[in-house]
Structures are given as C-alpha cells and as structure tokens.
C-alpha cells in the first residue's frame, strides 16, 4: 500500500465511479461508511474522502482497492493527499479557537448540499429543523449581521422560530440542526473544545451545547456570497423552500417575513394569496430532483424489476367488433377531438376499453366496451370525473351495440339502416367517414352517439 502513488487521475476515476454507481452503492461496494469529518468537494458535489482514496488505489496498475481498516482517513493522510493533488477538502471536524478549518467550503458545494439535505422524515414530509436554521442564517447575511453569534442568541432566536413556524412537530431545539449541518460541513462552530456530537441522543447533545456555548454560523465564503449576491440568496431560499411542500403558503410567508427574507420571496411574482413564488420553488425543486436522479442514474441503468402478473383473457373478436362499430372515431359523445395522426399501420389511434373492468365482473363483450381516443381514455382511467364518465360510457356502449345488433323482437333491421353518421337514408355521408361495402350500418345512431364532437363541446 502506498497512498503517495495515487495521482489526480486515479482520484478522478474513483469520483466518476461514485457518480456512476451512486453514493450508497459505491460505499457498499468498497465497504466504507459515510465520512465523519473530511469530504472531497468537486464540481459542486461532496464525496466521502476516505472511500474515494481507497477506491482510487484500486485504479493504480496492478493494485487493488484499499479496505477502510488498511489506512487512516484523517487530515494528515487523506486530507493532505487530496489537497496536494489540487482538490478542495471540506473539514467538518471539531472547531478550533483560531477558526482554521482547512480550505474554505466552495459555494457551489454549499448549493449542492442544501439541495440534498439529510433530514428526519415525518408523515407530513421532512422535518424542518435544518431549513429553518439555514433560512435564519441567510436572513442574517442579507442584513449584514455578524456571521457568527453566541449559542445563547442562536438558541433563543431559532428556538422561537421552530416553536412558531415548525409545521411538522419540530421542538424548539436548534442544537439538532446545528450539529447535523456542522457534520455535513455547512455550519461553522468556534470557541469550543473537543468534537461536536452527532445530532442524536437528546440529553447528550443538549448538555454539550450548554457546556461549550460555541459561536456558530455559516461558513465564511457562503456568508459573504449570500450577503453580497441577491440572485444567490433568492436561489438558496428557493432551494430551501422546496422542503416546505404541503405547508400552508401563508405560514411559509410568515416565516420568511420573520427571518427578513420577504423580499427574496417576492423575487419572482407572488400569487394572489401571497404564497411563495412559484417560479423560484419550481426551479429549485426541479434542480433537487434532477440531482437525485443523476446521483442514482448509473446504478439503475440496465436493472430490471421482476414482476409476476395474471391478466384476464380478453376476446379478440370483441375488440375487433368495437373497432368495426366505431368507424375509426372516438365513441365518447363529447370527445373534444381525437389525434389526426395514425399508427404505423395507418389505423386511427384508439384504445378499446372495457367500461367495467373484467376483474370487476364486467363483460368482455362489445355491449360493455368502447373505442376511445388517448385523451378520453385517460379521463376515463385517471380523471376526477371518471366515475360519472364511466356510467355515461356504459350507456353509450349499450346504445351503440343495440343499434347494430338489436334484441330479438325490437323490429330494427340493420339492412335498412342509414349510412354511418346520418339520421336518415337520404342524408349525405360525412366526409370523415368513408363509405364502402365493408362499412357497417348504424340504425338510428346520431353523429354524437357515434363519437362526433357534441354541440358546444
């Protein structure tokens, strides 16, 4: 083993492998846990430094990856190596009296990290401890308040915010998010001795903060960027607000006003009820979701989920009969218009649908089946009015079936029926419905019954 043999090339290959597999799969593959202190910052993303170095060793010619127990992941080994190779390393370890913590956190890394915060889940969504603490700090930066403040001030002010604006059972305990963000490299702590505890263990963490009384706040480069750039502030606020999805917009607005960020909330036009700007929230949430997709994309590629299903047998003649009956038109009487395009085989784009599913004791028979265009089929399947729509389609299917194949004794004869789409034998055939020997006759069926656009639709 020789860490000094690792070059920037091997580290970049390990980073690419981590991106391809996804963080969790990468750590499992090499037998590493999450970094407790040092994280490598590269192109706006944070990586577990020791795991990256261990994997990088395996990219050396004739070498294998290093196991976690084979080397130290401390500042003097992994941290020193990565910095010598030109990488930025975020040190989330214990604070020092002189405030030195190694190379500063890149702002791009901060942006990436707040878009992917690890938070406790509740039934309503993620707990809001960390977003509320960060919004408070962004508000301080906007006003030009001191970057670091005493723990007593932080505890009082953020505790009040959590009590008044916590929407998912948050307690007035800013020590939780402060410890969690510090461990993630997003929160500075100074004037204390010994390591900062993890955000677990109710009594231990409360006792540690009460004893050490650290000065805390945003990392210096982050603070300066958020203080000086309105666009960066608005983007950061928008990212943090994505964690408030489902919270009453008026309550979110009240929180933003309370921390002095009401102008950031109106960076994009606000809604009529003063809700959080839609454009800011959508852009930030879209970015967060894309980052999540990209993190796991390589690990999903080529994988398949095995499924076992049992589908009911369906009658091919029944489907063919419905397609024959519809004459190439959607059978919804109020269809707003089916696609003009056709399939590769030149057929109309239609779905033959069982109005009452076979699995729900429906008949696999044309009298309970309709031909629908994709839009009408989607409404029937997923629309909010689908139940009333299904009842109507069931009547339509029965009426269209009866018109062509009447019950014995009804006195209706298909041979003497008018042409499709007309109400009398003398009516002209619509241009959209071709006439040929193969076109069926439809006794007493109006254009609207056959799926033409209803008046006023």
């Amino acid at each position: 083993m020789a860490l000094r043999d690792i070059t920037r090339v091997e580290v970049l290959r390990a980073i690419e492998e981590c991106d391809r597999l996804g963080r969790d799969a990468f750590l499992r593959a090499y037998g590493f846990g999450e970094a407790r202190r040092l994280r490598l910052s590269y192109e706006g993303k944070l990586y577990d430094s020791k795991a990256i170095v261990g994997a990088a060793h395996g990219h050396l010619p004739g070498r294998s990856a290093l196991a976690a127990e084979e080397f130290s992941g401390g500042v003097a080994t992994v941290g020193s190596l990565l910095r010598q190779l030109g990488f930025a390393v975020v040190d989330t370890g214990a604070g020092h009296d002189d405030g030195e913590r190694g190379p500063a956190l890149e702002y791009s890394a901060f942006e990436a990290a707040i878009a992917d915060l690890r938070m406790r889940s509740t039934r309503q969504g993620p707990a809001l401890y960390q977003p509320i603490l960060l919004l408070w700090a962004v508000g301080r930066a906007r006003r030009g308040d001191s970057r670091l403040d005493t723990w007593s001030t932080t505890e009082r002010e953020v505790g009040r915010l959590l009590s008044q604006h916590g929407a998912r059972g948050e307690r007035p305990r800013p020590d939780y998010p402060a410890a969690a963000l510090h461990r993630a490299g997003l929160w500075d702590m100074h004037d204390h001795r010994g390591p900062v505890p993890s955000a677990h263990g109710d009594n231990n963490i409360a006792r540690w903060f009460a004893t050490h009384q650290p000065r805390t706040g945003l990392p210096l480069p982050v603070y300066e960027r958020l203080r000086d750039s309105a666009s960066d502030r608005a983007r950061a606020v928008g990212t943090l607000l994505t964690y408030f999805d489902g919270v009453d917009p008026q309550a979110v607005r009240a929180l933003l006003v309370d921390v002095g960020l009401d102008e950031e909330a109106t960076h994009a036009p606000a809604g009529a009820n003063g809700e959080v700007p839609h454009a800011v929230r959508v852009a930030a949430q879209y970015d967060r979701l894309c980052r999540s997709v990209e993190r796991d994309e390589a690990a999903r590629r080529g994988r398949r989920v095995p499924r076992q299903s049992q589908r009911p047998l369906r009658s091919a003649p029944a489907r063919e009969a419905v397609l024959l009956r519809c004459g190439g038109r959607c059978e919804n009487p109020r269809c707003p218009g089916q696609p003009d395009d056709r399939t590769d085989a030149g057929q109309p784009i239609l779905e033959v649908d069982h109005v009452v599913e076979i699995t729900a004791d429906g008949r696999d028979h044309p009298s309970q089946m309709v031909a629908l265009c994709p839009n009408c089929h989607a409404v029937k399947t997923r629309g909010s009015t689908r139940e009333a729509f299904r009842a109507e389609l069931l009547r339509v299917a029965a009426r269209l079936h009866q018109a062509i194949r009447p019950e014995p004794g009804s006195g209706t004869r298909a041979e003497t029926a008018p042409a499709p789409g007309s109400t009398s034998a003398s009516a002209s055939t619509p241009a959209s419905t071709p006439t040929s020997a193969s076109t069926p006759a439809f006794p007493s069926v109006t254009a609207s019954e056959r799926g033409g656009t209803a008046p006023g639709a």
Side-chain angles (χ1 to χ4, degrees):
M1 178 197 78
L3 293 182
R4 64 178 178 272
D5 294 336
I6 297 174
T7 70
R8 186 177 177 88
V9 172
E10 286 76 45
V11 173
L12 289 174
R13 287 175 178 171
I15 289 174
E16 186 277 331
E17 184 179 10
C18 183
D19 288 339
R20 176 164 47 82
L21 295 177
R23 183 190 187 196
D24 292 342
F26 178 79
L27 293 177
R28 286 196 303 271
Y30 287 98
F32 284 85
E34 295 181 5
R36 294 185 177 181
R37 180 170 180 178
L38 300 182
R39 301 184 74 184
L40 186 159
S41 174
Y42 181 71
E43 293 187 346
K45 298 179 68 175
L46 296 176
Y47 299 86
D48 301 274
S49 57
K50 186 175 181 181
I52 290 291
V53 170
H57 193 270
H59 288 284
L60 288 167
R63 306 288 183 87
S64 59
L66 298 176
E69 61 271 13
E70 293 184 84
F71 68 108
S72 169
V75 175
T77 52
V78 166
S80 176
L81 170 68
L82 292 172
R83 287 164 182 159
Q84 289 174 13
L85 296 177
F87 292 100
V89 178
V90 178
D91 185 349
T92 64
H96 304 279
D97 289 340
D98 59 6
E100 293 297 325
R101 293 175 58 84
L105 173 69
E106 297 176 357
Y107 185 75
S108 58
F110 173 80
E111 281 195 309
I114 65 172
D116 193 24
L117 294 173
R118 298 198 168 200
M119 298 176 291
R120 179 175 62 83
S121 297
T122 72
R123 291 183 178 180
Q124 295 81 28
L128 300 175
Y129 288 102
Q130 294 180 47
I132 288 176
L133 175 60
L134 287 169
L135 286 171
W136 172 77
V138 174
R140 289 178 59 85
R142 183 186 183 281
R143 294 190 299 272
D145 294 346
S146 60
R147 178 176 72 91
L148 302 176
D149 213 332
T150 62
W151 180 247
S152 60
T153 299
T154 302
E155 186 176 34
R156 181 181 65 255
E157 294 187 3
V158 180
R160 179 185 62 80
L161 292 173
L162 290 168
S163 294
Q164 294 182 3
H165 303 288
R168 293 169 181 156
E170 292 80 7
R171 294 188 290 164
R173 292 286 301 274
D175 46 341
Y176 291 141
L181 291 172
H182 179 74
R183 185 165 290 274
L186 306 177
W187 196 252
D188 274 2
M189 291 196 192
H190 297 269
D191 300 340
H192 67 88
R193 297 290 183 181
V196 178
S198 64
H200 303 287
D202 201 61
N203 293 329
N204 291 338
I205 187 173
R207 185 164 48 248
W208 187 92
F209 276 89
T211 300
H212 291 268
Q213 292 292 311
R215 290 187 304 126
T216 75
L218 292 169
L220 181 59
V222 174
Y223 169 84
E224 291 176 338
R225 188 78 167 261
L226 293 173
R227 179 193 62 196
D228 300 335
S229 172
S231 61
D232 286 331
R233 273 199 311 273
R235 190 162 54 248
V237 170
T239 297
L240 294 171
L241 291 181
T242 63
Y243 297 108
F244 289 78
D245 282 347
V247 178
D248 178 22
Q250 293 288 8
V252 178
R253 170 70 64 179
L255 168 63
L256 294 174
V257 171
D258 208 346
V259 298
L261 291 172
D262 47 315
E263 290 190 16
E264 269 60 31
T266 57
H267 199 71
N273 296 322
E275 66 269 17
V276 176
H278 181 70
V280 173
R281 295 188 66 176
V282 167
Q285 186 175 19
Y286 185 82
D287 179 69
R288 179 161 63 92
L289 291 171
C290 286
R291 289 179 187 275
S292 178
V293 169
E294 291 157 2
R295 185 175 61 246
D296 302 328
E297 185 175 17
R300 293 193 310 271
R301 187 173 293 120
R303 296 180 63 184
R304 297 291 184 268
V305 178
R307 292 182 178 176
Q308 293 182 349
S309 61
Q310 293 183 337
R311 298 182 177 181
L313 290 175
R314 289 180 168 84
S315 169
R319 182 178 185 278
E320 186 177 354
V322 173
L323 289 174
L324 185 66
R325 181 185 71 197
C326 74
R329 301 292 299 277
C330 176
E331 292 184 319
N332 172 18
R334 283 181 294 280
C335 175
Q338 69 186 70
D340 294 329
D341 201 0
R342 288 179 171 259
T343 67
D344 291 340
Q347 300 299 316
I349 301 177
L350 292 168
E351 306 284 346
V352 176
D353 187 85
H354 291 77
V355 181
V356 180
E357 293 294 337
I358 299 177
T359 54
D361 294 330
R363 292 185 66 192
D364 187 22
H365 189 273
S367 63
Q368 290 191 4
M369 298 164 66
V370 288
L372 298 174
C373 71
N375 285 341
C376 293
H377 184 260
V379 173
K380 182 262 181 187
T381 305
R382 304 189 301 276
S384 61
T385 60
R386 60 185 178 274
E387 294 302 329
F389 189 32
R390 287 172 181 171
E392 180 182 6
L393 290 177
L394 193 60
R395 292 191 294 270
V396 169
R399 187 165 60 246
L400 294 175
H401 172 73
Q402 177 69 17
I404 303 175
R405 193 168 184 262
E407 294 294 330
S410 63
T412 306
R413 294 177 56 82
E415 298 89 311
T416 61
S422 62
T423 56
S424 67
S426 62
S428 61
T429 303
S432 60
T433 305
T435 56
S436 68
S438 61
T439 303
F442 296 86
S444 306
V445 182
T446 65
S448 64
E449 287 175 322
R450 290 202 47 238
T453 302

